[in-house]
Amino acid sequence: MEEKSRGRSPQTVNENSEWAELWPDEDIRALWVHKIGNLLPLNKRRNSLAQNYPFKKKCNAYFAGRENVSSYGLTTQVLGEDEWTPMVVKKRQKNLLKIMKDSWRLHESTL
């Protein structure tokens, strides 16, 4: 199964959408759209199903059914969120970077 990292908040936002309300600043949206805190390992089919739907509808498209659902824990973490706001993405970014830093011992000297 082909897995790709796909953003939760969409790159293209309709003016009257939930995404425009939650991510009103285009510069902030552009800054975060490709950061690890906003990305999920998903297969291409699941990502295409979700389009630019509101957050809860995207989650349904991502996780409904048994086929082509990502088994990565990083993907299923988002089910615990009510909204996908900049604050949620920033918090997730911080947590994921800490996990990577600790797991890969990036804080240790490589002398």
Side-chain angles (χ1 to χ4, degrees):
M1 171 176 18
E2 178 186 353
E3 296 276 341
K4 296 199 177 212
S5 290
R6 302 294 182 179
R8 294 293 297 165
S9 61
Q11 294 179 54
T12 306
V13 173
N14 295 330
E15 190 177 309
N16 296 323
S17 70
E18 173 187 86
W19 298 113
E21 181 181 327
L22 296 174
W23 294 80
D25 187 317
E26 289 181 34
D27 292 334
I28 298 292
R29 194 167 54 234
L31 177 69
W32 285 95
V33 74
H34 295 295
K35 290 192 183 263
I36 193 74
N38 188 50
L39 299 176
L40 302 175
L42 295 167
N43 67 52
K44 191 173 182 176
R45 180 176 172 271
R46 285 286 168 174
N47 190 61
S48 296
L49 286 173
Q51 301 173 15
N52 284 353
Y53 292 155
F55 177 68
K56 287 297 183 184
K57 192 169 181 179
K58 265 186 178 275
C59 286
N60 287 337
Y62 288 155
F63 300 108
R66 294 181 147 184
E67 290 185 34
N68 297 317
V69 177
S70 177
S71 59
Y72 296 121
L74 293 177
T75 302
T76 57
Q77 287 174 343
V78 303
L79 292 173
E81 301 296 341
D82 292 325
E83 295 180 314
W84 201 248
T85 64
M87 189 166 70
V88 168
V89 173
K90 288 176 188 176
K91 179 181 171 188
R92 188 168 186 267
Q93 174 86 5
K94 182 178 179 182
N95 290 341
L96 290 174
L97 290 177
K98 182 181 181 336
I99 289 168
M100 289 177 200
K101 179 181 170 186
D102 293 346
S103 296
W104 296 334
R105 298 183 181 121
L106 297 176
H107 55 282
E108 295 177 11
S109 174
T110 57
L111 297 177

